[in-house]
Amino acid sequence: MLGKRYYINPETLRYERVRLSSRQLVRYLGIFSFGLIILAILMRYGFERVFPTPRQIIYQKENSVLRSEYAALNSDLLEVEAQLSDLRNRDDRFYRAILSLDPVPNSIRGAGTGGSERDQHLLAIREPGMVRDVSHRIDNISNRVKIQSISLENVYEEALNAQHFLACKPSINPISPADPYWLTSTYGYRKDPFTKKRTAHHGIDMAGRVGTDIHCTGAGIVSFARINKYGYGKEVVVDHGFGYTSRYAHLDEIYVEVGQKIDRGELVGTLGSTGRSTGPHLHYEIRKDNIAVNPTYFFYENLSSQEYNMLASRASEQQGPYRPVGYSQK
Ligand SMILES: [Zn+2]
């Protein structure tokens, strides 16, 4: 193209060299350089494809290792997700159900974490989908683990509370089965032994020998331990927490003091006939949130089935717990 070219000059009849104008020269040079550049690019990529550089070989190997690692990671994630779902089911349907806790709402369980900012960085790589998927799933798992761990902490506290409640709740007979006693008055309405009027009896009366040991029926703190001027005589009240109190009235002797911690089975005093009493007996009473409840339901394990049936049938005649009007009953 740029080789020497000749033509016949009609005037001199001699061959003479064709001379290019400078504009033509620039144009030819431009085309030539452009062609060279295209050729160089094609050669470079073609060459690399056939003969990759050592660095490219390393990258290719790394890439294939990463792909298989991602595949393995994906199947590991599936397993972790399944385990988490199992834990969640057991938490909601078993642990929380036993302790009467509501299941964790789906809106909280499913709360995601913001990933859009991280996704922006992923745009720099060639296949962001694969990495994004794994990264989102890990975020999701980490979130679920956090919520699960809070829920289980809650369950643990509630279980401790339940254990404590079982230790505190009045649940044994205040008189040992080894000591002789008989039930003289049940819980509910009865004819008052003094006024002969039909009145509510807030507890049960257990007659026995003066001096018989009276046991505390659940762990708690003594909240009253002296003579009750309304007729209960020498009286002990134990606060068991959780809204429960137990009352031991007409005692002969009091062994405890107000503020004292007391365990189930420990002695509060002895059976007597102090206060408004027609004979030696224990008036035993349980209140829940200051409402008298039937003590029979709290120590049935220590009663014979005959005694229990007698108390239960008498109690079922009543309308249930009622608010006390005062301490006029014994
Ligand atoms: Zn009584």
Side-chain angles (χ1 to χ4, degrees):
M1 181 166 56
L2 292 176
K4 289 174 182 175
R5 293 170 71 182
Y6 295 88
Y7 77 108
I8 296 170
N9 186 332
E11 287 175 12
T12 60
L13 296 175
R14 291 173 66 182
Y15 282 104
E16 288 187 11
R17 270 182 80 180
V18 176
R19 300 206 177 271
L20 295 170
S21 68
S22 54
R23 179 179 286 183
Q24 278 177 317
L25 196 65
V26 167
R27 201 173 75 199
Y28 285 140
L29 271 174
I31 292 167
F32 181 67
S33 322
F34 182 72
L36 266 184
I37 289 165
I38 296 290
L39 187 69
I41 290 170
L42 286 176
M43 277 182 68
R44 182 184 149 82
Y45 281 96
F47 187 80
E48 275 184 2
R49 189 157 285 222
V50 183
F51 306 104
T53 63
R55 180 174 288 186
Q56 277 176 322
I57 292 168
I58 291 168
Y59 285 162
Q60 279 166 3
K61 275 187 185 162
E62 268 183 8
N63 216 351
S64 92
V65 169
L66 282 177
R67 273 169 194 282
S68 62
E69 281 298 315
Y70 264 106
L73 199 54
N74 256 309
S75 68
D76 286 352
L77 283 181
L78 273 178
E79 208 169 297
V80 173
E81 281 163 346
Q83 281 167 353
L84 258 177
S85 295
D86 179 51
L87 193 56
R88 174 205 169 139
N89 281 339
R90 275 192 285 162
D91 186 29
D92 279 346
R93 292 184 190 167
F94 188 64
Y95 307 138
R96 298 185 77 86
I98 282 179
L99 296 162
S100 305
L101 290 169
D102 288 331
V104 176
N106 278 339
S107 55
I108 292 177
R109 290 250 193 220
T113 49
S116 56
E117 205 172 298
R118 273 175 66 181
D119 291 353
Q120 289 299 314
H121 300 298
L122 297 178
L123 292 176
I125 61 172
R126 252 194 321 161
E127 285 180 78
M130 185 172 66
V131 182
R132 189 164 46 212
D133 182 48
V134 168
S135 136
H136 281 188
R137 284 168 69 186
I138 288 174
D139 276 353
N140 186 273
I141 286 172
S142 124
N143 200 41
R144 284 171 67 185
V145 165
K146 261 184 235 159
I147 288 161
Q148 190 57 66
S149 129
I150 291 169
S151 171
L152 286 177
E153 226 165 82
N154 199 226
V155 164
Y156 177 67
E157 276 172 21
E158 214 43 51
L160 283 184
N161 214 17
Q163 200 178 19
H164 183 51
F165 172 65
L166 288 179
C168 293
K169 191 180 168 191
S171 55
I172 60 165
N173 192 325
I175 297 179
S176 161
D179 290 323
Y181 74 91
W182 55 99
L183 293 157
T184 52
S185 191
T186 54
Y187 169 92
Y189 284 88
R190 64 161 186 186
K191 196 185 274 185
D192 186 284
F194 286 91
T195 64
K196 308 294 179 197
K197 282 183 186 165
R198 194 174 134 85
T199 42
H201 186 224
H202 296 135
I204 56 169
D205 290 341
M206 302 163 91
R209 291 193 194 112
V210 172
T212 302
D213 285 338
I214 303 301
H215 302 262
C216 182
T217 55
I221 290 167
V222 176
S223 61
F224 189 97
R226 56 184 164 85
I227 291 178
N228 180 319
K229 58 181 177 178
Y230 295 103
Y232 281 118
K234 287 186 184 172
E235 181 200 81
V236 169
V237 176
V238 176
D239 185 347
H240 302 281
F242 305 95
Y244 284 99
T245 54
S246 59
R247 161 176 285 143
Y248 313 82
H250 309 300
L251 298 175
D252 188 52
E253 276 191 84
I254 290 176
Y255 292 158
V256 292
E257 288 174 356
V258 170
Q260 181 184 327
K261 267 180 86 174
I262 188 162
D263 264 337
R264 177 179 293 141
E266 281 188 284
L267 299 182
V268 296
T270 55
L271 190 143
S273 190
T274 55
R276 277 177 81 215
S277 171
T278 50
H281 78 285
L282 170 75
H283 170 89
Y284 177 59
E285 191 176 309
I286 297 176
R287 284 169 188 262
K288 170 80 172 78
D289 299 326
N290 207 28
I291 296 171
V293 290
N294 189 345
T296 316
Y297 298 137
F298 291 80
F299 60 90
Y300 57 88
E301 283 173 33
N302 300 91
L303 283 173
S304 72
S305 57
Q306 207 181 356
E307 286 170 324
Y308 180 73
N309 287 340
M310 189 190 93
L311 288 175
S313 65
R314 290 285 293 273
S316 66
E317 292 164 11
Q318 306 307 321
Q319 293 296 310
Y322 43 81
R323 279 196 182 279
V325 285
Y327 290 142
S328 60
Q329 300 307 311
K330 322 183 290 128

